Amino acid sequence: MAEVTKLIHKYLRHEKKFPHVWCPGCGNGIVLGALIRAIDRTGFTKDEIVLVSGIGCSGRLSVYVDFNTLHTTHGRALTFATGVKLANPKLQVIVVMGDGDATAIGGNHFIHAARRNLNLTAIIINNNIYGMTGGQYSPTTPYGAISATSLYGNLEHAFSIAELAVTAGAAWVGRSTVYHATHLDQLMEQAIVKRGFAVVEVISHCHTLYGRKNKLGGPVEMMEWQKQVAVKIEKARTMTPEELEGKITIGVLTDRDLPIYTQELRRVREAARVALGEKSSQ
Amino acid sequence: MAKKTAAAKRVGMEVSIAVSYAVQLARAEAIAAYPITPQTHIVEHLSSLVANGELDAEFVNVESEHSAISTCIGMSAAGARTYTATSSQGLALMNEILYIVSAMRFPIVMTVANRALSAPLSIWNDHSDIMGARDIGWIQVFVENGQEAFDHSVMAFKIAENHEVLLPIIVNLDGFILSHVVEALEMVDQATVDKFLPPYVPLHRLDPRNPVTMGAFALPEIYTEVKMNHQVTLTKSYDHILKVWDEWGKLTGRQYHPVERYRTEDAKILLLIMGSLAEVAEIAVDEMRDQGLPVGLLKLRMWRPFPFKDLRDAVNGAELLIVCDRALSLGGVGGPVMSEVRSALYPMAQKPATLGYIIGLGGRDVNPGNIKDIVARAQQEASQGPQEEFHLYGVRG
């Protein structure tokens, strides 16, 4: 049996939930593949993993895997995950969201989760559009781009999700694309084993809506574009802002050891117990 | 059909697009929304009308429904004719703000493409979303087909903006079953709508030349009086709603009533349904009438303010009333509409036995045969005395 088939048999609910709902050529399948390969390498058992997802095309990802899964509402995946992690910190909680989920309706949760620094892994598939509802502009739709609600060009400016996560205080932030599948595998693995709030922004493509409306071609052309604009972060640091215009930096944007919320909570409890104990013994 | 005076053009059109044209004809000035299935086509089309310059309005696709309705408050507070649309989880997310819209008397018009609430996740049609927003203090109407969706979307602005009313309105239309079908309907031309619906003149608005305070705090000494004011206004809006419906009836030949009747003459058995399923029930009623069964159909169009008198008049003489709900009040009486209807009829000396059947949850199909089966079951139940508080029709297990 081929290695990929073994993984499919091990991790995917291939006899129950397939065929999936994603369009042929969608990047979500690459993200799903990267995720199960990364989990396989980390050595976590299937039952140690909780995969939490929101609403949108990415929300279906949790349906297809044989982990503990929690399919939540639009934008709230991180809050459900926060509860899971606090109640049972032994669980390895991975949250999959889309750009709408994580940076529009759930944008507040995203920045606060980054700031709080629980040991969670957040994977954000950024396809620049609300795909499932028919291609309305999202917070990552580029300025001037065409969408179902911006027929003559988007007037708003896009978030840079990974940079937002860094600024909001995430312990680890990485970015890759669905074209760079091997690189994506590595980032996913690092994000899962990282202690603290780890974010992987995955640049993907919605050729069905975003690509078609903006005449960017099919999945092949859009992935070629990902290849062309991607610059490794190490190289990007040697480039001028002008040279970086229109480029997407990929790699690990930040990796820092920050106090983790659950550890901090234990520390405060210990300190309080000691203080109260000292008080009562006086 | 009443005589009509307005020029009309009959077209085939998706109902969502027809609603967006109604909003355009009403010259909405400000629109904020967030994408949610199955409401999206309405707002998408409006966004293109705005971008094309065909509708002179502000448009923004914000970051959530909570933001959408909050933005609408800002738009309305600044004096703009304001519109939005949503569904299901979106309406639920708006909930905090919905009460504020009505209590602060902003005449916002909203289309709700009715859809089931999670969990389990469902994108399909029922009325659980709007029944969760029953007590928000808005005027609420239900439509049965694309024509009604178009008509009520225009009329809503005129009702809402009347200075005696100044209340927001929800026009409920069944998600997918109405929102995504192409129907033949009569559009009304711009000149007619302009004559029918004058520009919005706010009674109060945020204006630097005449500063006002909005959203003030209420101490216990005044809170109850504010609620009473809202209650009286909403109840009295009934008269204004009927005036507007009458005026539209004269213009278009399409006359609407709080409780619509279908073949109710001499009916001993009445069905009561809200929304698009009424058209299915009409087929069933025709077939049962052909078989000699004295059955008729009531369609509850006006949900808020609740049309107590119309309902009591409409059931007069009937022996059995079967209320078909599209939502379930869990752990309670079953159907929220049945509950309110039975309560409304309670003071009547002679009233029909009222039985509740809950149908079509989460998009489950209901056909004329089901309606006939419900009538047969209800007749049997009525003759034996009710065995259960309500029936979840067709449920397995």
Side-chain angles (χ1 to χ4, degrees):
Chain A
M1 196 187 284
E3 196 60 34
V4 64
T5 315
K6 278 187 208 160
L7 286 177
I8 287 168
H9 280 242
K10 186 173 176 186
Y11 292 105
L12 300 188
R13 302 169 75 192
H14 57 97
E15 285 171 340
K16 279 187 181 169
K17 293 291 175 183
F18 282 73
H20 57 69
V21 300
W22 297 321
C23 302
C26 177
N28 285 359
I30 298 170
V31 177
L32 174 58
L35 183 64
I36 62 171
R37 285 190 293 273
I39 289 171
D40 193 63
R41 282 197 303 273
T42 61
F44 286 112
T45 67
K46 288 196 287 188
D47 290 347
E48 284 173 306
I49 303 281
V50 181
L51 193 73
V52 185
S53 68
I55 295 289
C57 297
S58 67
R60 294 291 298 178
L61 205 138
S62 64
V63 175
Y64 303 131
V65 292
D66 186 24
F67 304 121
N68 301 288
T69 61
L70 192 53
H71 191 183
T72 71
T73 62
H74 194 28
R76 315 301 156 199
L78 271 172
T79 56
F80 282 73
T82 298
V84 171
K85 190 68 189 177
L86 282 171
N88 189 353
K90 287 179 188 151
L91 291 169
Q92 194 64 33
V93 183
I94 301 169
V95 188
V96 179
M97 296 165 283
D99 45 289
D101 243 342
T103 64
I105 196 164
N108 202 24
H109 306 315
F110 178 54
I111 54 176
H112 289 282
R115 185 180 63 81
R116 187 171 295 117
N117 199 33
L118 277 158
N119 187 20
L120 295 172
T121 309
I123 294 161
I124 301 167
I125 305 173
N126 179 3
N127 65 358
N128 307 108
I129 204 97
Y130 290 102
M132 188 162 268
T133 50
Q136 300 81 10
Y137 66 84
S138 86
T140 57
T141 304
Y143 178 77
I146 308 298
S147 75
T149 44
S150 60
L151 284 185
Y152 298 92
N154 182 25
L155 308 178
E156 299 184 19
H157 297 270
F159 270 136
S160 296
I161 295 178
E163 282 78 2
L164 177 65
V166 172
T167 311
W172 189 98
V173 179
R175 177 165 50 214
S176 191
T177 82
V178 291
Y179 174 84
H180 299 84
T182 314
H183 182 242
L184 184 60
D185 283 17
Q186 293 161 4
L187 287 192
M188 291 253 191
E189 186 181 351
Q190 289 177 52
I192 293 165
V193 298
K194 172 69 188 179
R195 302 278 298 151
F197 190 72
V199 179
V200 186
E201 179 187 3
V202 187
I203 303 297
S204 187
H205 52 271
C206 177
H207 53 281
T208 305
L209 292 161
Y210 183 72
R212 184 165 50 85
K213 284 186 198 299
N214 291 284
K215 299 190 168 51
L216 300 174
V220 174
E221 290 76 18
M222 292 184 81
M223 289 175 77
E224 284 288 341
W225 173 82
Q226 291 163 18
K227 180 189 175 188
Q228 286 160 15
V229 297
V231 179
K232 287 268 175 66
I233 188 97
E234 294 77 14
K235 191 184 172 197
R237 287 187 180 125
T238 67
M239 292 163 70
T240 65
E242 291 74 28
E243 288 170 328
L244 281 169
E245 189 67 37
K247 301 286 183 192
I248 292 170
T249 51
I250 61 170
V252 179
L253 275 73
T254 194
D255 183 0
R256 46 198 172 185
D257 288 319
L258 300 171
I260 294 169
Y261 183 87
T262 40
Q263 289 174 345
E264 289 288 280
L265 194 57
R266 272 200 295 278
R267 183 181 60 73
V268 170
R269 279 192 191 135
E270 269 316 306
R273 203 172 290 135
V274 169
L276 286 170
E278 283 169 359
K279 216 178 204 177
S280 60
S281 62
Q282 279 172 359
Chain B
M1 190 185 262
K3 216 177 121 205
K4 62 184 179 184
T5 55
K9 192 178 154 199
R10 196 163 171 80
V11 292
M13 191 179 285
E14 187 187 304
V15 173
S16 288
I17 306 302
V19 169
S20 65
Y21 279 126
V23 175
Q24 181 200 15
L25 287 163
R27 299 189 187 278
E29 294 166 320
I31 300 158
Y34 186 76
I36 184 165
T37 305
Q39 156 279 138
T40 37
H41 290 185
I42 301 172
V43 174
E44 278 176 18
H45 198 247
L46 279 168
S47 77
S48 66
L49 293 174
V50 172
N52 286 340
E54 294 174 62
L55 172 60
D56 184 14
E58 303 304 320
F59 173 87
V60 63
N61 184 32
V62 288
E63 64 278 5
S64 75
E65 288 88 357
H66 194 277
S67 313
I69 192 67
S70 303
T71 303
C72 284
I73 284 192
M75 290 166 161
S76 192
R81 177 172 283 167
T82 305
Y83 174 81
T84 187
T86 194
S87 284
S88 182
Q89 304 301 119
L91 185 69
L93 187 58
M94 286 181 178
N95 196 267
E96 181 196 18
I97 311 301
L98 294 175
Y99 291 79
I100 296 169
V101 177
S102 60
M104 289 178 68
R105 311 286 298 275
F106 293 118
I108 294 168
V109 174
M110 172 156 68
T111 304
V112 177
N114 299 119
R115 164 186 150 183
L117 283 176
S118 285
L121 175 58
S122 167
I123 58 167
W124 306 109
N125 167 237
D126 71 23
H127 292 172
S128 54
D129 55 1
I130 193 63
M131 289 303 152
R134 192 187 60 169
D135 298 332
I136 56 175
W138 292 44
I139 295 168
Q140 298 187 29
V141 297
F142 281 77
V143 299
E144 187 181 322
N145 53 43
Q147 184 68 64
E148 294 189 2
F150 173 83
D151 290 349
H152 284 274
S153 301
V154 177
M155 289 189 286
F157 289 95
K158 179 147 177 153
I159 295 164
E161 293 168 3
N162 184 303
H163 282 192
E164 300 288 313
V165 178
L166 286 179
L167 284 170
I169 301 191
I170 288 173
V171 178
N172 288 286
L173 62 90
D174 285 321
F176 288 115
I177 293 170
L178 283 186
S179 64
H180 282 55
V181 299
V182 174
E183 288 195 2
L185 50 92
E186 275 186 14
M187 303 289 278
V188 179
D189 62 32
Q190 186 69 63
T192 306
V193 174
D194 284 346
K195 214 173 146 194
F196 170 80
L197 178 67
Y200 172 43
V201 181
L203 188 61
H204 304 290
R205 67 187 175 103
L206 297 173
D207 178 359
R209 288 163 300 183
N210 183 23
V212 292
T213 295
M214 290 186 178
F217 182 83
L219 290 168
E221 287 78 9
I222 196 69
Y223 184 86
T224 308
E225 284 67 27
V226 176
K227 290 293 126 185
M228 185 62 183
N229 180 298
H230 190 163
Q231 160 67 15
V232 169
T233 308
L234 184 51
T235 306
K236 281 188 164 178
S237 71
Y238 176 94
D239 297 334
H240 295 283
I241 296 168
L242 259 56
K243 266 187 214 161
V244 172
W245 288 0
D246 284 348
E247 193 183 333
W248 188 259
K250 289 190 185 88
L251 270 177
T252 64
R254 294 184 294 274
Q255 178 69 50
Y256 295 110
H257 308 93
V259 180
E260 304 285 357
R261 304 180 189 198
Y262 183 76
R263 302 192 74 172
T264 56
E265 64 286 356
D266 307 323
K268 297 295 169 205
I269 304 165
L270 289 174
L271 285 154
L272 185 144
I273 287 180
M274 290 159 90
S276 62
L277 262 186
E279 292 203 337
V280 176
E282 282 184 4
I283 299 169
V285 166
D286 286 345
E287 291 176 6
M288 287 184 283
R289 281 281 187 177
D290 289 346
Q291 291 159 3
L293 200 65
V295 59
L297 171 65
L298 302 179
K299 308 162 186 177
L300 187 56
R301 173 180 312 288
M302 190 193 286
W303 176 233
R304 287 292 184 275
F306 193 86
F308 290 95
K309 185 171 180 305
D310 301 81
L311 182 70
R312 288 170 189 152
D313 290 346
V315 301
N316 198 20
E319 291 163 5
L320 175 60
L321 175 64
I322 305 157
V323 180
C324 295
D325 262 282
R326 307 290 316 283
L328 172 59
S329 171
L330 291 151
V333 290
V337 181
M338 187 275 283
S339 165
E340 296 217 6
V341 166
R342 195 153 67 183
S343 170
L345 302 185
Y346 186 75
M348 292 174 75
Q350 293 287 323
K351 53 182 171 281
T354 306
L355 299 177
Y357 281 76
I358 292 166
I359 55 174
L361 293 186
R364 184 170 292 185
D365 200 21
V366 180
N367 59 43
N370 298 139
I371 303 286
K372 289 198 282 186
D373 186 38
I374 286 170
V375 171
R377 283 164 187 256
Q379 279 181 286
Q380 197 181 6
E381 191 185 355
S383 66
Q384 294 166 349
Q387 307 291 309
E388 293 173 55
E389 295 293 336
F390 67 93
H391 299 275
L392 201 50
Y393 179 75
V395 69
R396 295 192 300 272

